[in-house]
Amino acid sequence: MDASNGKPITVEEIRALAQKRLPANVWRYYVDGADDQLTTLRNEEVYKSLVIRPRILRNVSTVDTSTKIFGKHYDIPITIAPSAYQRLAGYNGEIDVARAAFARGTNICLSSNATTSLEDVTQALPSRDPKYPKPWFQLYFVRSRAITKELITRAEQAGYEALVLTVDTTTMGNRLHERKNPLKLPANLSMANMTTIKGGGASKGRLILNAETAEEAAKIEREHSDLLVDSALTWTETIPWLRSQTSMKIILKGVLTAEDALLAVAAGVDAIIVSNHGGRQLDSVPATLEALPEVSDAVKGRIPVLFDGGISHGTDVFKALALGADICLLGRSALWGLAVNGQQGVETVLNILERELWRTMALSGAASIKAISSSMLGVRKVGPGFGIAKL
């Protein structure tokens, strides 16, 4: 912390404060991944395997951290990822996160499983220059097309500009701590966008997670079919159906392979997000930073490639941008800021990352986001010899 005023000056310090302030079950819900948490931990650790190769005698008297996605201006190449149940962190939950993002000249993606309705979030936001983006809405495509269609219609009517379809939740990941210590929303909170789910309950996906036999899981599926995520989605049917329902941009969240990236381009989606759900779904998949190069290489700039996973330093953002990300999404780190000091806490996290990124760019010889390239990264040589191998 800053010795002069006691304020946290790193995201890690904010994370430590958040852990002290959050109830243990809420902290574990936010932080834990699936099974042995190999992917969750690797998402964070993998950044250490890359070194930065700085360039010198480049004019960095002015460093511009801004970028554009869909023609809209972002002051920083960092936006807020969708995450559920933000009011469990305290303060005003999703509204504080959204206001912080707008105050810092960036954007949010609101979760379907938010504890604040999608309408209340947009109504709470101040108006701003139209050069900036409008919020995005993350969609869990449930088996009831009527419920799914209602969510899409509500989002478009409320002014959201993009629909982010999560595609890595055909069933819920094996979250061991959650199975032993189920998290239930308190009676005063609910999944505010799913009007059929009341406060104080558990999601239907979590009921299946706790099923002890295939027969029990099948029974739950029969009883709650309409509210479960549809596991029958396909490239040929789902994307055209979404196009027929909305004029919003369509983004796929959960792409980890070149093969699926190419299918996404062929299907005509507007962007993809390289994401493994924070390691909360299938354990042992690659860290998102490891998956990013093959996805970016496959897309070849035809659509934006967005990225999330384990970001807690400005150097993390720099490395993701160098490997082909157009913008980075912040998940857990934003929640830590929210837990510590509401809107101001989230703004502090964004400010820290912006300053760290700005400093990294200046010291690396990159005066703009476009000047960041993979040639600025290297890995330690393995085998004969010693030194750094360029990517």
Side-chain angles (χ1 to χ4, degrees):
M1 292 191 183
D2 185 342
S4 64
N5 56 27
K7 292 182 179 179
I9 58 174
T10 69
V11 173
E12 289 301 319
E13 289 175 354
I14 293 175
R15 173 188 166 117
L17 290 173
Q19 184 174 6
K20 292 178 181 178
R21 297 187 182 190
L22 288 171
N25 65 328
V26 174
W27 168 260
R28 292 296 299 269
Y29 173 77
Y30 285 151
V31 78
D32 280 359
D35 290 302
D36 294 325
Q37 304 194 69
L38 300 176
T39 297
T40 299
L41 296 173
R42 187 151 180 78
N43 272 353
E44 299 176 359
E45 291 296 317
V46 70
Y47 293 98
K48 298 176 183 177
S49 65
L50 291 175
V51 297
I52 296 172
R53 302 178 63 251
R55 301 299 306 276
I56 61 172
L57 294 180
R58 292 183 170 186
N59 184 353
V60 289
S61 57
T62 300
V63 173
D64 181 7
T65 62
S66 70
T67 192
K68 286 188 176 181
I69 299 291
F70 303 142
K72 295 294 186 178
H73 180 90
Y74 289 71
D75 288 352
I76 51 177
I78 306 165
T79 186
I80 307 296
S83 56
Y85 309 157
Q86 291 178 9
R87 286 178 63 193
L88 287 175
Y91 297 90
N92 293 310
E94 290 85 1
I95 287 176
D96 276 345
V97 172
R99 285 174 171 167
F102 267 44
R104 283 300 292 116
T106 185
N107 202 13
I108 62 149
C109 180
L110 184 73
S111 172
S112 281
N113 291 347
T115 42
T116 308
S117 75
L118 59 91
E119 292 88 356
D120 285 347
V121 170
T122 53
Q123 289 170 10
L125 290 172
S127 59
R128 62 176 177 175
D129 192 314
K131 75 176 184 179
Y132 289 101
K134 294 179 180 179
W136 298 355
F137 180 71
Q138 177 268 335
L139 177 70
Y140 284 119
F141 197 123
V142 297
R143 295 180 186 180
S144 167
R145 289 291 170 105
I147 294 175
T148 299
K149 182 176 180 178
E150 179 188 4
L151 278 173
I152 295 169
T153 300
R154 286 174 57 196
E156 188 153 19
Q157 290 177 346
Y160 290 78
E161 73 173 20
L163 190 68
V164 178
L165 176 65
T166 294
V167 292
D168 58 5
T169 53
T170 50
T171 191
M172 186 171 285
N174 192 26
R175 304 168 193 174
L176 302 180
H177 182 269
E178 210 170 319
R179 290 176 63 185
K180 292 182 178 180
N181 303 277
L183 178 72
K184 290 188 176 182
L185 293 177
N188 65 320
L189 296 181
S190 66
M191 293 168 63
N193 294 314
M194 301 294 287
T195 55
T196 53
I197 299 177
K198 305 302 181 184
S203 73
K204 307 312 175 188
R206 192 156 291 109
L207 294 177
I208 289 184
L209 176 63
N210 293 330
E212 296 183 2
T213 65
E215 181 180 355
E216 183 181 351
K219 181 175 182 291
I220 294 169
E221 287 198 11
R222 289 193 300 271
E223 292 176 351
H224 302 285
S225 176
D226 283 355
L227 296 175
L228 293 170
V229 172
D230 193 343
S231 58
L233 304 182
T234 66
W235 292 104
T236 55
E237 193 274 333
T238 305
I239 306 304
W241 185 84
L242 286 174
R243 284 286 183 214
S244 72
Q245 302 301 314
T246 182
S247 61
M248 290 184 287
K249 301 288 188 184
I250 295 175
I251 303 170
L252 299 188
K253 179 178 179 289
V255 177
L256 290 174
T257 65
E259 293 89 339
D260 282 335
L262 290 172
L263 288 170
V265 172
V269 303
D270 297 293
I272 57 177
I273 303 176
V274 178
S275 174
N276 56 32
H277 218 102
R280 291 166 61 81
Q281 283 298 100
L282 178 60
D283 202 16
S284 292
V285 300
T288 46
L289 196 71
E290 294 171 314
L292 178 58
E294 73 166 86
V295 171
S296 177
D297 289 347
V299 169
K300 298 185 186 303
R302 287 172 287 184
I303 58 175
V305 174
L306 288 63
F307 169 87
D308 72 22
I311 291 172
S312 60
H313 302 86
T315 51
D316 300 342
V317 177
F318 183 92
K319 291 172 183 179
L321 296 173
L323 290 177
D326 290 294
I327 202 166
C328 298
L329 284 80
L330 202 63
R332 291 180 175 98
S333 293
L335 293 174
W336 309 151
L338 175 64
V340 169
N341 196 19
Q343 176 182 341
Q344 186 58 53
V346 180
E347 287 187 40
T348 298
V349 168
L350 292 171
N351 288 338
I352 288 170
L353 292 174
E354 184 274 334
R355 285 288 83 195
E356 290 181 352
L357 174 62
W358 178 92
R359 188 176 296 110
T360 302
M361 291 171 64
L363 293 173
S364 300
S368 68
I369 299 301
K370 289 184 178 180
I372 301 172
S373 71
S374 61
S375 67
M376 291 177 161
L377 299 182
V379 293
R380 292 176 177 84
K381 288 182 179 178
V382 177
F386 177 78
I388 298 298
K390 291 194 297 183
L391 291 187

